[in-house]
Amino acid sequence: MTTRIRTFSPLGLLALAACGSDSNGSGGPVIGNVVKGPLANALVFADADNDGEFDAGETSVRTGSDGGYSIDNPNGYTLVVTTDENTIDSSSGQIISGLTMKAGPNAGVITPLTGVALDAGDTAALAAALGLPTDTDFATFNPYGADVDPAAALAYEKVTQSIMASAQIVGAALEANGDAAEGAGLTAAFNAIIAEVSAAAEAGETEFDAEALTSGALESAGTLDADVVAKVASQVAAVATAIDEVEDLDPATTLDAFSSASAVAGQYDMGGLDAADADVDTLITNKAPTDVALDNATVEENESGAFIGALAVTDAEGAEQAFTYALGGADADLFTITRDGDLYLADGVALNFEAQETYAITVTATDAGGKSVTKALTVTATGVDEATEGENDADGGDFSVVGDTLTVADGDELYGMFTDDDNTINGGDAGDFASHSYQWTRDGDDIAGATSSSYTVTEDDLGADIEVVVTLTDQQGNATTSEVSFGEAFAEPLIKVAVGADVMAGIEGFKAEVAASEEKLDDFGDRVSSAIETFNAAVGDDDPDLAVTSS
């Protein structure tokens, strides 16, 4: 299972817009806010066929950072809100996915309670069952509006947050028990809890009880054993208590309490129904991280798989703990994050400055206690001066060897280095390729581990044909593969000879004896020549036929 609710840093958000009013419907657009905490980037649409699902052709709009929307609805259709992986609740710091809410055609606000109020015959009874003033106008009351009573706003939002906390935890339990498909638990739980709220209102109850709502929802929507139902309901009650202790709606105040349900739900995602025994008090008191920052957000175009920057998380309980990371946003598929928090372009991905300059992602960092922070980030591609580039040599594979070896002894290095004559961008030289790889071979077979630009010859290579296969992509994105053989560089055939040290010593001694013998032979030859000359001088005049030649 996957956790459906994660955390977004709410600090420093723009001031919230004033709530809309029921004066909508005078011919202009319907103006309002979506609130479960203000929901940014939620989809609001006019439900023309009243099926609760967004269909092609239906008028729609995404909410702003304050949850605000403005939508044309001249036909008076019911307004519906759906949330996905890009919808952020600024009060709890959570990403809310899989929630559907509805409201009347002219609603100035859409909350988890507007749908049940729309269907209720008596909104005063509904308000009483939720512990709210009986004159609460669910269609217009925005707890984050500019001029609302702070006490009324706090009471309303605590009820909403408690209902949603119950839905999160119950939904995770339903998924863990197989009563709901992965990703469908939140919707199933929310609908079951709203049904319990409606039943409480019809019964004339006047006290809001999150634990009782949870038990009823689990019994109606799931098949859990009674003891597990009791444990889950107890967890919801603990989270509801933490929510009830919140004293104002400042995001800095609400973050820890309003994000507690996410941490509890995450335990079911990881451990299944065993999470019913989890220590929720520890999860609730854990401080949520408040920010995640990227130390560099620019990358040069055409750099395939390039490193972009390192992430740093701000957490009151220590930024040195191990965080887990997740990517979201419109361009998430183009990026990847390592376990250590380094952001890279995905394998094989290179950005194109001319096609798109900025790329939108969200990064979620989750701490060891299950609370998270999500930050919207923008990565910017920087351009290169491609206008000065001539014909791309790389496209045709026209590379030239600029270095190899003329020696071939064991331990010598061979080099496979290449240039691309037109590859001189932004002051780079002809050896600056966007990407490159090397594979050295021996008699046509890959040499294990020999994947760098140089290779050190070993005894196994003597007498073999050594080649390097180089795959290069230049700065224009043109790729080629080239093979270079080093056989012709060898001055003489390479012969592998295994000779022991004692044999080598004998060879050296023999060489010395030969040299000494050659010296003695030279001396003997000189003496013979001298004797011949003396003999010839003595007999040559009397009888030339007796003269001796040295040949």
Side-chain angles (χ1 to χ4, degrees), residues 290-307:
T290 57
D291 192 25
V292 57
L294 183 63
D295 65 2
N296 176 65
T298 62
V299 60
E300 191 172 272
E301 67 171 331
N302 304 325
E303 293 189 7
S304 178
F307 169 70

Side-chain angles (χ1 to χ4, degrees), residues 26 32 49 74-75 107 153 162 218 224 290 321 327 350 362 395 447 469 496 537:
S26 60
D49 58 1
N75 295 316
S162 292
L218 280 171
L224 290 168
T290 57
Q321 61 184 297
L327 274 168
T362 61
D395 194 30
I447 302 172
V469 179
K496 181 175 179 179

Side-chain angles (χ1 to χ4, degrees), residues 299 306 308 327-328 331-337 343-347 349 351 358-361 378-380:
V299 60
I308 298 170
L327 274 168
D331 300 309
D333 291 345
L334 302 178
F335 302 87
T336 185
I337 300 177
L343 181 67
Y344 284 82
L345 290 175
D347 187 30
V349 171
L351 303 185
T358 59
Y359 299 79
I361 59 173
T378 299
V379 176
T380 302

Side-chain angles (χ1 to χ4, degrees), residues 311-398:
L311 298 167
V313 182
T314 302
D315 191 307
E317 293 177 334
E320 303 304 320
Q321 61 184 297
F323 294 93
T324 56
Y325 300 92
L327 274 168
D331 300 309
D333 291 345
L334 302 178
F335 302 87
T336 185
I337 300 177
T338 68
R339 183 178 300 178
D340 294 329
D342 292 331
L343 181 67
Y344 284 82
L345 290 175
D347 187 30
V349 171
L351 303 185
N352 186 331
F353 171 78
E354 286 75 22
Q356 183 177 339
E357 183 176 353
T358 59
Y359 299 79
I361 59 173
T362 61
V363 175
T364 299
T366 303
D367 68 12
K371 291 185 178 179
S372 307
V373 57
T374 297
K375 185 71 172 288
L377 300 173
T378 299
V379 176
T380 302
T382 58
V384 296
D385 184 10
E386 296 175 344
T388 62
E389 294 297 303
E391 182 178 356
N392 298 318
D393 290 345
D395 194 30
D398 184 16

